[in-house]
Amino acid sequence: MRKIIYLSLVFLFLWSIKSFAQYEGTVGLGAHAGYGNKIESVGAGAHLHYYYTNNIRFAPSFTYYLPRKGSSMWEVDADAHYVVPVSWLFSFYPIAGLHYSNRKFDASKVSGFGEEDRTLHRVGANLGLGLQYDIGYKTRISFEYKYQFIKDFSQSSFMAGIGFWI
Protein backbone atom coordinates (compact mmCIF):
# COMPACT_ATOMS: atom_id res chain seq x y z
CA MET A 1 0.00 0.00 0.00
CA ARG A 2 2.86 2.39 0.78
CA LYS A 3 4.31 1.87 -2.70
CA ILE A 4 1.02 2.92 -4.26
CA ILE A 5 0.87 6.04 -2.09
CA TYR A 6 4.50 6.97 -2.86
CA LEU A 7 4.00 6.34 -6.56
CA SER A 8 0.85 8.46 -6.52
CA LEU A 9 2.72 11.29 -4.78
CA VAL A 10 5.51 11.13 -7.40
CA PHE A 11 2.97 11.33 -10.25
CA LEU A 12 1.19 14.20 -8.51
CA PHE A 13 4.49 16.05 -8.15
CA LEU A 14 5.41 15.50 -11.82
CA TRP A 15 1.95 16.62 -12.92
CA SER A 16 2.14 19.78 -10.81
CA ILE A 17 5.51 20.72 -12.33
CA LYS A 18 4.05 20.55 -15.85
CA SER A 19 0.74 22.22 -14.97
CA PHE A 20 2.45 25.17 -13.26
CA ALA A 21 5.24 25.53 -15.81
CA GLN A 22 6.64 29.01 -16.08
CA TYR A 23 7.15 30.13 -19.66
CA GLU A 24 7.23 33.86 -18.93
CA GLY A 25 10.30 35.45 -20.50
CA THR A 26 11.34 32.40 -22.56
CA VAL A 27 12.21 32.53 -26.25
CA GLY A 28 11.81 29.99 -29.04
CA LEU A 29 12.99 29.85 -32.64
CA GLY A 30 11.58 27.87 -35.51
CA ALA A 31 11.00 27.34 -39.20
CA HIS A 32 7.74 27.01 -41.09
CA ALA A 33 6.45 26.16 -44.55
CA GLY A 34 3.03 26.51 -46.09
CA TYR A 35 0.80 27.77 -48.85
CA GLY A 36 -0.81 31.13 -49.67
CA ASN A 37 -4.00 30.74 -51.71
CA LYS A 38 -3.97 34.16 -53.44
CA ILE A 39 -0.30 34.08 -54.46
CA GLU A 40 -0.89 30.37 -55.31
CA SER A 41 2.58 29.45 -54.16
CA VAL A 42 4.50 27.59 -51.49
CA GLY A 43 6.29 29.67 -48.89
CA ALA A 44 8.90 29.05 -46.21
CA GLY A 45 10.37 31.14 -43.44
CA ALA A 46 11.41 31.56 -39.84
CA HIS A 47 9.66 32.68 -36.68
CA LEU A 48 10.45 33.72 -33.14
CA HIS A 49 8.27 33.15 -30.08
CA TYR A 50 8.63 35.32 -26.99
CA TYR A 51 6.43 34.48 -23.99
CA TYR A 52 5.38 37.77 -22.42
CA THR A 53 3.31 35.83 -19.85
CA ASN A 54 2.57 32.12 -19.52
CA ASN A 55 -0.30 32.44 -22.02
CA ILE A 56 0.51 35.50 -24.14
CA ARG A 57 3.36 35.28 -26.61
CA PHE A 58 4.56 37.50 -29.41
CA ALA A 59 5.47 35.78 -32.66
CA PRO A 60 7.24 37.84 -35.34
CA SER A 61 7.87 35.90 -38.55
CA PHE A 62 9.27 36.22 -42.07
CA THR A 63 7.95 34.18 -45.02
CA TYR A 64 9.18 34.07 -48.63
CA TYR A 65 6.90 32.64 -51.33
CA LEU A 66 8.41 31.00 -54.40
CA PRO A 67 7.90 32.93 -57.67
CA ARG A 68 4.96 31.72 -59.76
CA LYS A 69 3.36 33.13 -62.92
CA GLY A 70 5.51 36.24 -62.80
CA SER A 71 4.62 37.04 -59.17
CA SER A 72 6.82 36.76 -56.12
CA MET A 73 6.13 37.83 -52.57
CA TRP A 74 7.64 38.06 -49.13
CA GLU A 75 5.93 39.05 -45.91
CA VAL A 76 6.67 40.03 -42.34
CA ASP A 77 4.11 39.35 -39.63
CA ALA A 78 3.98 40.60 -36.04
CA ASP A 79 1.43 38.34 -34.36
CA ALA A 80 0.26 37.78 -30.82
CA HIS A 81 -0.93 34.36 -29.61
CA TYR A 82 -3.03 33.55 -26.57
CA VAL A 83 -1.93 29.99 -25.77
CA VAL A 84 -4.65 27.79 -24.25
CA PRO A 85 -3.30 24.45 -22.97
CA VAL A 86 -5.66 21.55 -23.59
CA SER A 87 -3.39 18.82 -22.19
CA TRP A 88 0.24 18.43 -21.18
CA LEU A 89 1.36 18.26 -24.78
CA PHE A 90 -1.36 19.95 -26.83
CA SER A 91 -2.38 23.64 -27.01
CA PHE A 92 -4.36 25.86 -29.33
CA TYR A 93 -4.10 29.59 -29.78
CA PRO A 94 -6.01 32.37 -31.50
CA ILE A 95 -3.81 34.62 -33.66
CA ALA A 96 -4.08 38.37 -34.17
CA GLY A 97 -1.47 40.69 -35.59
CA LEU A 98 -0.08 43.10 -38.14
CA HIS A 99 1.15 42.24 -41.61
CA TYR A 100 3.50 43.81 -44.18
CA SER A 101 3.98 42.32 -47.64
CA ASN A 102 6.09 43.09 -50.68
CA ARG A 103 4.66 41.64 -53.89
CA LYS A 104 6.46 41.96 -57.22
CA PHE A 105 5.08 41.29 -60.66
CA ASP A 106 7.50 40.66 -63.55
CA ALA A 107 5.64 41.21 -66.85
CA SER A 108 8.43 39.60 -68.92
CA LYS A 109 7.51 36.20 -67.45
CA VAL A 110 3.88 36.42 -68.54
CA SER A 111 2.80 36.33 -72.19
CA GLY A 112 0.42 39.26 -72.00
CA PHE A 113 0.51 42.59 -73.80
CA GLY A 114 0.06 45.81 -71.90
CA GLU A 115 1.36 44.37 -68.64
CA GLU A 116 3.85 46.42 -66.66
CA ASP A 117 6.31 45.51 -63.95
CA ARG A 118 5.10 46.63 -60.56
CA THR A 119 5.87 46.28 -56.88
CA LEU A 120 3.15 46.56 -54.25
CA HIS A 121 3.88 47.30 -50.60
CA ARG A 122 0.90 46.52 -48.39
CA VAL A 123 0.14 46.77 -44.68
CA GLY A 124 -2.62 44.60 -43.32
CA ALA A 125 -3.89 42.52 -40.43
CA ASN A 126 -3.92 38.82 -39.54
CA LEU A 127 -6.57 36.75 -37.78
CA GLY A 128 -6.39 33.02 -37.34
CA LEU A 129 -6.03 29.92 -35.21
CA GLY A 130 -3.05 27.72 -34.40
CA LEU A 131 -2.46 24.30 -32.90
CA GLN A 132 0.72 23.30 -31.09
CA TYR A 133 1.96 19.86 -30.04
CA ASP A 134 5.05 19.39 -27.86
CA ILE A 135 6.90 16.41 -29.35
CA GLY A 136 9.83 16.41 -26.95
CA TYR A 137 11.73 18.39 -24.41
CA LYS A 138 11.87 21.97 -25.77
CA THR A 139 10.59 20.89 -29.21
CA ARG A 140 7.17 21.60 -30.71
CA ILE A 141 5.31 21.35 -33.99
CA SER A 142 2.57 23.75 -34.97
CA PHE A 143 -0.14 24.19 -37.59
CA GLU A 144 -1.62 27.59 -38.31
CA TYR A 145 -4.39 29.03 -40.43
CA LYS A 146 -4.38 32.81 -40.89
CA TYR A 147 -6.55 35.07 -42.97
CA GLN A 148 -4.51 38.06 -44.06
CA PHE A 149 -6.51 41.23 -44.64
CA ILE A 150 -4.49 43.06 -47.30
CA LYS A 151 -5.77 45.80 -49.63
CA ASP A 152 -6.45 44.26 -53.06
CA PHE A 153 -4.76 41.00 -52.04
CA SER A 154 -6.41 39.34 -49.00
CA GLN A 155 -5.54 35.68 -48.72
CA SER A 156 -5.72 32.56 -46.59
CA SER A 157 -2.43 31.16 -45.40
CA PHE A 158 -1.77 27.64 -44.11
CA MET A 159 1.53 26.98 -42.31
CA ALA A 160 3.18 24.04 -40.56
CA GLY A 161 6.25 24.60 -38.44
CA ILE A 162 8.75 23.19 -36.02
CA GLY A 163 10.28 25.16 -33.18
CA PHE A 164 12.71 24.90 -30.32
CA TRP A 165 12.87 26.73 -26.99
CA ILE A 166 16.23 28.26 -26.24
Side-chain angles (χ1 to χ4, degrees):
M1 186 65 170
R2 276 194 217 175
K3 289 182 183 179
I4 293 174
I5 292 173
Y6 290 138
L7 191 58
S8 297
L9 289 173
V10 168
F11 283 132
L12 180 63
F13 176 73
L14 292 174
W15 174 79
S16 67
I17 288 173
K18 179 64 176 175
S19 65
F20 298 108
Q22 297 295 315
Y23 297 114
E24 186 175 329
T26 60
V27 175
L29 295 171
H32 58 267
Y35 181 79
N37 76 327
K38 188 77 170 196
I39 189 79
E40 296 180 346
S41 184
V42 175
H47 60 267
L48 175 87
H49 286 169
Y50 171 73
Y51 279 87
Y52 183 69
T53 67
N54 287 337
N55 297 96
I56 298 172
R57 73 178 173 208
F58 297 112
S61 65
F62 174 82
T63 306
Y64 176 78
Y65 290 93
L66 296 175
R68 184 164 191 274
K69 296 182 182 177
S71 290
S72 64
M73 183 172 130
W74 59 265
E75 63 189 21
V76 176
D77 293 320
D79 294 332
H81 303 164
Y82 186 82
V83 181
V84 179
V86 177
S87 70
W88 286 6
L89 302 174
F90 181 73
S91 302
F92 77 91
Y93 49 93
I95 301 168
L98 298 174
H99 170 88
Y100 172 79
S101 62
N102 179 314
R103 182 173 172 230
K104 293 182 180 181
F105 180 74
D106 185 358
S108 67
K109 298 191 178 182
V110 180
S111 61
F113 294 104
E115 293 287 335
E116 294 181 11
D117 291 349
R118 62 185 177 272
T119 301
L120 300 174
H121 304 275
R122 296 287 190 245
V123 175
N126 297 324
L127 285 178
L129 183 67
L131 304 171
Q132 175 178 306
Y133 183 75
D134 296 336
I135 59 174
Y137 181 68
K138 293 188 173 190
T139 306
R140 69 185 183 294
I141 56 172
S142 61
F143 302 95
E144 291 183 356
Y145 166 78
K146 287 192 282 193
Y147 190 80
Q148 299 170 326
F149 297 92
I150 309 166
K151 181 183 174 186
D152 304 326
F153 202 73
S154 294
Q155 74 172 353
S156 293
S157 173
F158 302 93
M159 294 289 167
I162 185 165
F164 308 95
W165 278 278
I166 303 173

